[in-house]
Amino acid sequence: MVNHIVLWNFKEELNVQEKREAAERIRMELEAVKEQVSGVVSLKVVTDPLDSSNKEIGLISVFENEEALQNYQVHPAHVAAGVYIRTVTEERTCLDYEE
């Protein structure tokens, strides 16, 4: 299994309501990709981190193997979601690892 974790902060210029709306759109778009790409074991977008966090939104996903992760990354629905995500987030952090 391959774990893929991505964390972001929202752009500073977004107000609280804009962040909520952006988080919901990110959640909907990324979680929809799960049903469209084979090899996705699980995929969840975390939109309500604890106050102790230093990132505001996260993607926690598991893939059957690296090939499935690569297919996810180039899938048109994921690419489209990424275009939007880059307009509302900054400070992207990613960790991929195999178990």
Side-chain angles (χ1 to χ4, degrees), residues 26-45 59-63 68 72 75 77-78 81:
I26 291 169
R27 186 190 64 73
M28 289 177 58
E29 289 191 20
L30 288 179
E31 289 183 359
V33 178
K34 176 184 176 186
E35 306 305 321
Q36 300 175 44
V37 179
S38 64
V40 180
V41 175
S42 64
L43 189 150
K44 178 178 173 59
V45 175
L59 167 67
I60 312 296
S61 52
V62 180
F63 296 85
Y72 162 80
H75 189 278
H78 175 262

